[in-house]
């Protein structure tokens, strides 16, 4: 066998080894870092780019993750969300929580304020922002196959703003566990698309919505310096999204998991697809080219 053939075979073996190494990292190593998954409007002219997600860590969404009028208690050690307190099952022990690195849009939370003694308290699942995210943004961002590897969050759908107690107070995700205290890990900037739509800069950064009820007419937000603050509900604001991903249903086709070289994720198998009739966004919007 000549030198050229030997070199060629060695190169092919190395490529196979590298490819297998990427696949072996899918379920076991994709628990921190950054990944590209789905696409969304990014440039000021509306041109699309892959969505960059920060992988916060392992976690399982719960009904009690979002604050409503009925469970609106002040945060303390008693209601802290411990990572080992999540209801892990055989079906969801592979889940990781991901948050968009950037504020990806600028959207209205609701077109009216809920008022004590005049209107019922407006839960997140009944607000306009929730409807926009589930019926429009979800299908704009993901294909049917990509949605099939996401876990639906109780009361929030497949994608949602982060929750104050569900994600934004988790120390294992790198966040400060207090309101009105600056937190570098929660600071975010917007995409050119979001700024074009009206997102405001404050000190180079921007604020964004959470899913949580604060009081009648107001909701918790994340301020420009990462502190948890409050805003009126009948206005537009930054949208930074959370989702929960099944890592045993995806593969990393390239990347190293860093912000500069994120994993590029793809659906491993189409066997767990969601039927087009089961969700309005999938049926109407999810055929957008990814």
């Amino acid at each position: 066998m000549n030198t050229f053939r030997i070199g060629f075979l060695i190169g092919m073996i190395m490529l196979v080894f590298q490819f297998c190494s990427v696949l072996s990292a899918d379920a076991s190593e994709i628990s921190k870092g950054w990944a590209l998954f789905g696409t969304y409007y990014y440039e000021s002219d509306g041109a699309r780019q892959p969505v960059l997600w920060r992988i916060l860590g392992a976690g399982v969404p719960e009904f009690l993750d979002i604050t409503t009028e009925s469970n609106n208690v002040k945060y303390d050690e008693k209601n802290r969300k411990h990572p080992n307190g999540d209801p892990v099952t055989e079906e969801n022990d592979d889940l990781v929580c991901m948050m968009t690195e950037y504020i990806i849009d600028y959207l209205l939370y609701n077109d009216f304020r809920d008022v004590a003694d005049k209107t019922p308290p407006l839960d997140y699942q009944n607000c306009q922002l929730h409807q926009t995210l589930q019926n429009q943004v979800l299908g704009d961002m993901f294909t049917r196959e990509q949605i099939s590897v996401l876990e639906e969050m109780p009361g929030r759908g497949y994608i949602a703003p982060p929750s104050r107690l569900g994600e934004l107070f988790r120390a294992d995700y790198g966040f400060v566990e207090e309101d009105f205290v600056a937190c570098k890990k929660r600071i975010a900037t917007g995409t050119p698309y979001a700024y074009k739509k009206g997102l405001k800069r404050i000190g180079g950064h921007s604020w964004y919505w959470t899913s949580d009820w604060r009081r009648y007419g107001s909701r918790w937000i994340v301020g420009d310096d990462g502190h948890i603050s409050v805003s009126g509900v009948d206005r537009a604001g930054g949208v930074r999204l959370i989702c929960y991903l099944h890592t045993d249903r995806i593969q990393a086709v390239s990347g190293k998991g860093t912000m500069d070289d994120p994993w590029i994720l793809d659906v491993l198998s189409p066997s767990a697809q969601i039927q087009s009739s089961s969700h309005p966004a999938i049926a109407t919007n999810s055929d957008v080219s990814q």
Side-chain angles (χ1 to χ4, degrees):
M1 183 177 295
N2 61 38
T3 303
F4 174 79
R5 285 188 172 182
I6 293 175
F8 178 78
L9 288 174
I10 292 175
M12 291 299 293
I13 291 171
M14 290 180 66
L15 285 175
V16 170
F17 177 77
Q18 291 174 358
F19 180 72
C20 292
S21 296
V22 170
L23 293 185
S24 66
D26 291 340
S28 62
E29 295 184 20
I30 301 180
S31 59
K32 293 287 185 180
W34 286 264
L36 296 176
F37 190 59
T39 69
Y40 197 64
Y41 312 112
Y42 181 88
E43 303 293 349
S44 58
D45 63 357
R48 301 168 69 92
Q49 293 286 348
V51 180
L52 180 63
W53 299 84
R54 186 194 306 179
I55 304 172
L56 299 178
V60 177
E62 300 181 79
F63 275 105
L64 295 178
D65 281 352
I66 53 175
T67 304
T68 64
E69 189 272 342
S70 61
N71 71 355
N72 186 32
V73 295
K74 181 176 175 57
Y75 172 82
D76 59 32
E77 284 295 321
K78 293 182 179 179
N79 59 33
R80 175 180 176 181
K81 183 178 175 65
H82 295 276
N84 59 1
D86 292 336
V88 177
T89 67
E90 190 173 324
E91 291 75 26
N92 66 23
D93 63 356
D94 64 310
L95 284 176
V96 294
C97 180
M98 305 199 304
M99 179 167 63
T100 55
E101 183 62 27
Y102 302 108
I103 298 168
I104 57 100
D105 212 329
Y106 180 74
L107 296 172
L108 179 68
Y109 197 98
N110 204 58
D111 56 4
F112 67 89
R113 286 195 179 204
D114 47 339
V115 180
D117 302 325
K118 293 184 179 180
T119 58
L122 180 69
D123 290 336
Y124 172 72
Q125 61 186 350
N126 296 319
C127 76
Q128 187 170 331
L129 178 60
H130 172 67
Q131 301 303 322
T132 301
L133 292 178
Q134 301 311 304
N135 296 330
Q136 179 179 331
V137 175
L138 178 67
D140 284 342
M141 184 173 288
F142 298 119
T143 65
R144 294 188 183 99
E145 290 75 18
Q146 290 169 333
I147 296 172
S148 75
V149 302
L150 301 179
E151 180 75 8
E152 188 167 10
M153 296 174 279
R156 287 194 284 171
Y158 291 98
I159 55 174
S163 165
R164 173 173 165 265
L165 296 185
E167 292 95 22
L168 293 172
F169 272 6
R170 286 189 62 156
D172 59 318
Y173 288 172
F175 299 134
V176 173
E177 302 167 69
E178 293 183 64
D179 293 320
F180 309 108
V181 175
C183 177
K184 184 177 180 181
K185 290 284 187 178
R186 291 195 290 247
I187 292 174
T189 58
T191 62
Y193 175 75
Y195 286 121
K196 180 72 172 182
K197 287 188 65 176
L199 183 67
K200 302 298 189 294
R201 295 180 188 268
I202 305 173
H205 305 107
S206 301
W207 69 269
Y208 53 96
W209 294 113
T210 77
S211 302
D212 299 291
W213 199 91
R214 173 63 177 98
R215 56 178 175 260
Y216 279 94
S218 299
R219 299 300 178 270
W220 290 108
I221 66 168
V222 178
D224 60 286
D225 64 354
H227 75 282
I228 303 297
S229 188
V230 181
S231 175
V233 68
D234 56 343
R235 63 182 297 192
V239 176
R240 193 179 189 187
L241 295 178
I242 286 283
C243 73
Y244 285 79
L245 176 74
H246 284 276
T247 58
D248 65 354
R249 302 180 191 175
I250 53 94
Q251 60 180 347
V253 295
S254 66
K256 298 179 180 178
T258 64
M259 189 173 177
D260 293 331
D261 188 15
W263 282 302
I264 298 178
L265 303 182
D266 195 10
V267 178
L268 186 61
S269 170
S271 60
Q273 295 179 11
I274 299 175
Q275 297 299 319
S276 61
S277 61
S278 66
H279 197 284
I282 303 170
T284 58
N285 296 320
S286 62
D287 288 329
V288 175
S289 174
Q290 304 290 321

